[in-house]
Amino acid sequence: MSSRTRGPGALAALVALFTAGYLAPYLLPTVVGRLSAGLGLTPAQAGLVGSVLLLGSSSAGFTLAARGDRIGPRTAARAGLLAMAVGYGSAAATATVPLVVAGAVLGGLGSGTATAVAAAGIAGQRDPHRASTLGLLTVSATAGALYLTLPHLGGGHAAPLLAIACAAALVWPLTGRLAGATHARDGRPERRTAPTGPLPYRRAGAVLAGGILCWSLAQNALWGVSGRIGTTQAGLSEVTVGAVFAAALGAGLAGVTAAGALGSRLGRAVPIGVGTVLIAGCVLLSSAAGSLASFATGEILWNAVYPVVLSYLLGLAASLDPRGRWAVLVGSASSLGVACGPVVGSLLSEHAGYPGMGAVLCALLVLVAVPMTAVARHASGRPLVPGSVRRRGGAPAAVLAGTASATPALVPQMGAPEQPVAPVAVPVPAGRRRPGKAAFRLARPSDRG
């Protein structure tokens, strides 16, 4: 997927596309809960439907990571939004379980396509961390507003699915700001070549993809059953649980705002490592909640830290390859973990109870924090803020850092020591005067050596 999508209008379109693509995972607790209550499914069956929905999302991302460069971002985005509107809309319009599942899968494919286009475009921005932060702010605000609204729209599974379909329809007009497919002189679409050069940071990217898969699985396993923890274990009503989720996503807005203000001051390793350990503690607290106070505390603290760490993880993936290939692959690995989360959470909670499930997920998060922090320390790719390379690499390096086609190896790494300048001796033939400074000029392609 080409990442050469620039300009304020294009950034607004990418943020809106990011919001539409991520809305289904953010609304997963209410989707799974209403599938169970409205269609008579068991908690494990409802979690499986949610996992199938998100599995379609990750499958679309992996497919576009390999073939997305052949089509333009605008075409891919519109195809994804159309699949979301048709899939989620048809699932909301019927109560037949097979048709609901089919619509959810189609909608999930659309969500994954929209997310992949947004991830590739964000990777090509001059500051991918800032763009990711804007996307997380928007999706948190949208999901928070929906959590406050959906309990007042009646029961059943239709309301949350219809809300996602409407979000896709609202984002559609903004896709005109994205780049279209390049056409040759005969009017046919020009066949795009594969991204030049091998995929950089292969080992670090693979470790990051595997780590974020487990990271997303652990958190979404709890997120998928959080609604049931609030209603069954803590004894809260659906309206109260929705208010807690809205407050939690509001805390997420504050956390992402703080992450945007913090920027590169702490690098990436500290927010990712320390933040994941804090999330593990919140997961343990939320899963053992037996009252409104403990449930709200765990959920609000968790959702305040989660988008902060996610923004740095997405920025790290974008920095590994400015063409967006690692951004799409890591995002798809995250979607795969999100997809497996609901069914894993349902199975763990049925066999070990909610507190036992939380202990397992807490241990997994602590373990996975180690390799992800190591990647952030040793393979950080482009700096968080391209302008920061001026302090180390000068103006040419700053231009490279802000260019989508820049090679990461040519850009100074964050935290890298200053490179000494080695003097080069110029031999002077005997009998000739040493040339002055004015005798040297810039080399040009037309010069003959």
Side-chain angles (χ1 to χ4, degrees):
M1 185 67 64
S2 175
S3 57
R4 299 171 185 253
T5 303
R6 298 287 182 88
L11 178 59
L14 291 173
V15 170
L17 203 61
F18 184 95
T19 302
Y22 263 85
L23 196 55
Y26 267 68
L27 293 180
L28 191 66
T30 189
V31 170
V32 171
R34 290 188 174 225
L35 285 174
S36 177
L39 299 179
L41 303 177
T42 65
Q45 290 173 336
L48 182 60
V49 174
S51 293
V52 169
L53 183 159
L54 298 172
L55 186 61
S57 178
S58 63
S59 301
F62 283 120
T63 301
L64 281 180
R67 301 179 176 87
D69 233 43
R70 300 178 184 177
I71 57 178
R74 185 190 307 159
T75 303
R78 288 179 173 177
L81 293 175
L82 179 62
M84 287 179 63
V86 174
Y88 293 127
S90 61
T94 181
T96 305
V97 174
L99 295 180
V100 171
V101 174
V105 171
L106 179 60
L109 289 171
S111 294
T113 302
T115 303
V117 175
I122 286 173
Q125 297 295 311
R126 296 187 184 277
D127 189 354
H129 178 257
R130 174 177 172 272
S132 300
T133 300
L134 289 174
L136 289 170
L137 279 171
T138 309
V139 70
S140 296
T142 305
L146 287 174
Y147 272 118
L148 289 175
T149 305
L150 289 175
H152 303 286
L153 299 180
H157 70 288
L161 295 175
L162 194 59
I164 303 173
C166 291
L170 291 174
V171 172
W172 178 281
L174 297 177
T175 57
R177 302 177 182 180
L178 300 176
T182 304
H183 293 275
R185 293 182 179 179
D186 58 359
R188 297 180 179 179
E190 182 180 346
R191 185 172 182 177
R192 302 192 175 194
T193 57
T196 57
L199 191 64
Y201 297 103
R202 291 194 175 187
R203 182 178 299 177
V207 171
L208 180 61
I212 201 171
L213 188 154
C214 297
W215 187 86
S216 299
L217 182 148
Q219 296 185 79
N220 226 58
L222 177 63
W223 186 240
V225 298
S226 288
R228 298 205 299 272
I229 291 176
T231 55
T232 60
Q233 183 171 280
L236 308 176
S237 65
E238 184 183 359
V239 175
T240 304
V241 171
V244 170
F245 286 159
L249 292 174
L253 290 175
V256 174
T257 304
L262 184 64
S264 60
R265 290 179 178 84
L266 297 178
R268 293 190 179 99
V270 172
I272 290 174
V274 176
T276 300
V277 173
L278 290 175
I279 289 171
C282 295
V283 168
L284 196 62
L285 175 62
S286 184
S287 63
S291 63
L292 173 60
S294 57
F295 180 73
T297 302
E299 293 289 327
I300 291 173
L301 290 178
W302 173 29
N303 282 275
V305 181
Y306 163 79
V308 176
V309 181
L310 181 59
S311 68
Y312 281 95
L313 287 172
L314 296 177
L316 174 59
S319 74
L320 296 180
D321 179 22
R323 294 191 65 93
R325 290 171 288 179
W326 274 125
V328 175
L329 288 171
V330 169
S332 300
S334 176
S335 297
L336 183 60
V338 170
C340 298
V343 66
V344 170
S346 297
L347 292 175
L348 282 176
S349 61
E350 286 185 357
H351 291 85
Y354 295 123
M357 175 199 67
V360 173
L361 299 179
C362 176
L364 178 59
L365 284 170
V366 172
L367 290 175
V368 82
V370 177
M372 293 196 306
T373 305
V375 171
R377 282 181 57 85
H378 301 294
S380 58
R382 289 183 295 166
L384 284 174
V385 180
S388 65
V389 299
R390 293 191 182 96
R391 297 192 298 271
R392 298 188 181 273
V399 173
L400 283 174
T403 305
S405 58
T407 304
L410 300 178
V411 183
Q413 305 291 310
M414 286 200 67
E418 293 282 358
Q419 299 298 320
V421 179
V424 179
V426 180
V428 180
R432 292 190 180 183
R433 296 172 55 188
R434 182 177 296 274
K437 186 175 181 181
F440 295 93
R441 60 186 177 85
L442 293 175
R444 290 179 172 83
S446 59
D447 293 342
R448 296 290 186 267

